[in-house]
Amino acid sequence: MRKKLKSITNKLYSAAGIVLLLLLWQALCSFGVVADYMLPSPWTVCKSFIESFPVLMGHAKTSLLEALLGLSIGIALAFVIAVVMDRFRVIYQMTYPLLVITQAIPVVAIAPLLVLWLGYDMTPKVVLIVIVCFFPVAIGLLDGLRAADEDQMSLLRAMGANRLQIFWHIKLPGALPAFFSGLKISVSFSIVGAVIAEWLGGQSGLGVYMTLARKSFAYADMFAVIFLVVAISLVMMGLTGFLEKKLTPWRQIKKT
């Protein structure tokens, strides 16, 4: 009971912080401290969101498709890379610096090249999302696999377990918390990466809609897209947290 009350209190504090921020924002706009053309008020943004809701949903469908496709490929690629790097030390030493280099290159520098090489359809956008998303998952999973308990693995070897059994019963379950930590980062990156990729062109998507709104000086519409991206990211992270609870029930038992 005390744990539930603490959880509710924490959520109320978070909601109160957001409400206070929105009230301050509204006050700055209402009293003319900040010009409306520079920073639309929350009320103006909400009105724009409601009026443009059908159009926003159409563009959001494209961005979500790109984000989910890129995220899925990124997770699969990260899983393979992490497992191989954990299994073979030589590949770890050769590959790890390359992974770091891929993240040192700015996304805005890669995006134009992908468009030049792959065109303006969905392919370069998905590739960009894969590049953005696979690194946190790969590193998180790799760290989790390498942190497996040596005593537990030695016990399984003494009982005649092979490498696959050790991986399935010791390494993978122990790496799941680190995997989900990286996944939460990648989930938030996926929708943001889709929007950034769409800035370079396309027929639909939240990034395309934001670019059109910027060119027409409809800043309220731009903020409406930002609000929608934040909402989508929060929902996806919430679903990731729910999946984590289902796949790591022993962590919930320890917390209780």
Side-chain angles (χ1 to χ4, degrees):
M1 186 66 183
R2 182 179 299 175
K3 182 181 177 182
K4 291 183 178 179
L5 182 60
K6 184 179 180 181
S7 177
I8 294 173
T9 304
N10 291 336
K11 291 178 180 178
L12 288 176
Y13 283 144
S14 301
I18 295 174
V19 171
L20 287 174
L21 178 61
L22 292 175
L23 289 175
L24 177 61
W25 179 2
Q26 182 66 44
L28 291 174
C29 296
S30 299
F31 291 107
V33 178
V34 180
D36 188 62
Y37 67 88
M38 294 181 62
L39 182 65
S41 66
W43 177 247
T44 304
V45 175
C46 288
K47 283 175 34 178
S48 176
F49 182 88
I50 294 172
E51 293 170 358
S52 307
F53 185 78
V55 179
L56 283 172
M57 290 300 102
H59 287 287
K61 182 179 179 181
T62 301
S63 297
L64 267 176
L65 178 61
E66 294 168 352
L68 293 176
L69 184 58
L71 181 63
S72 301
I73 297 174
I75 292 172
L77 181 62
F79 186 86
V80 173
I81 289 175
V83 172
V84 173
M85 289 174 67
D86 176 67
R87 175 64 181 85
F88 302 100
R89 182 174 180 81
V90 175
I91 294 180
Y92 169 80
Q93 294 174 339
M94 293 173 58
T95 308
Y96 191 85
L98 297 177
L99 295 182
V100 175
I101 290 173
T102 61
Q103 301 306 300
I105 303 174
V107 175
V108 291
I110 300 175
L113 294 175
L114 293 177
V115 171
L116 179 64
W117 295 334
L118 303 174
Y120 284 94
D121 59 0
M122 187 181 292
T123 305
K125 302 175 180 63
V126 172
V127 171
L128 182 65
I129 296 168
V130 171
I131 294 173
V132 171
C133 291
F134 91 98
F135 182 78
V137 177
I139 296 302
L141 183 59
L142 177 62
D143 288 344
L145 292 173
R146 291 172 65 86
D149 192 307
E150 289 292 340
D151 292 335
Q152 293 181 352
M153 291 191 293
S154 298
L155 177 60
L156 258 67
R157 291 191 192 98
M159 297 171 64
N162 55 36
R163 291 184 182 274
L164 181 59
Q165 291 172 324
I166 292 174
F167 174 82
W168 184 255
H169 293 288
I170 300 296
K171 285 201 165 189
L172 185 59
L176 283 179
F179 165 76
F180 277 106
S181 296
L183 182 60
K184 289 175 182 177
I185 298 173
S186 295
V187 162
S188 62
F189 281 177
S190 63
I191 187 65
V192 175
V195 172
I196 293 175
E198 290 163 354
W199 285 349
L200 299 175
Q203 299 298 323
S204 63
L206 293 175
V208 175
Y209 182 81
M210 181 179 284
T211 302
L212 296 174
R214 178 179 57 82
K215 291 181 178 179
S216 60
F217 301 100
Y219 296 121
D221 292 340
M222 290 183 62
F223 275 90
V225 174
I226 293 173
F227 278 21
L228 181 57
V229 170
V230 170
I232 293 173
S233 298
L234 291 175
V235 170
M236 293 177 68
M237 290 188 68
L239 292 175
T240 304
F242 176 78
L243 183 62
E244 180 182 11
K245 291 181 180 179
K246 292 298 181 180
L247 294 180
T248 58
W250 61 89
R251 299 189 70 197
Q252 310 309 315
I253 295 174
K254 288 182 179 179
K255 291 179 181 179
T256 55

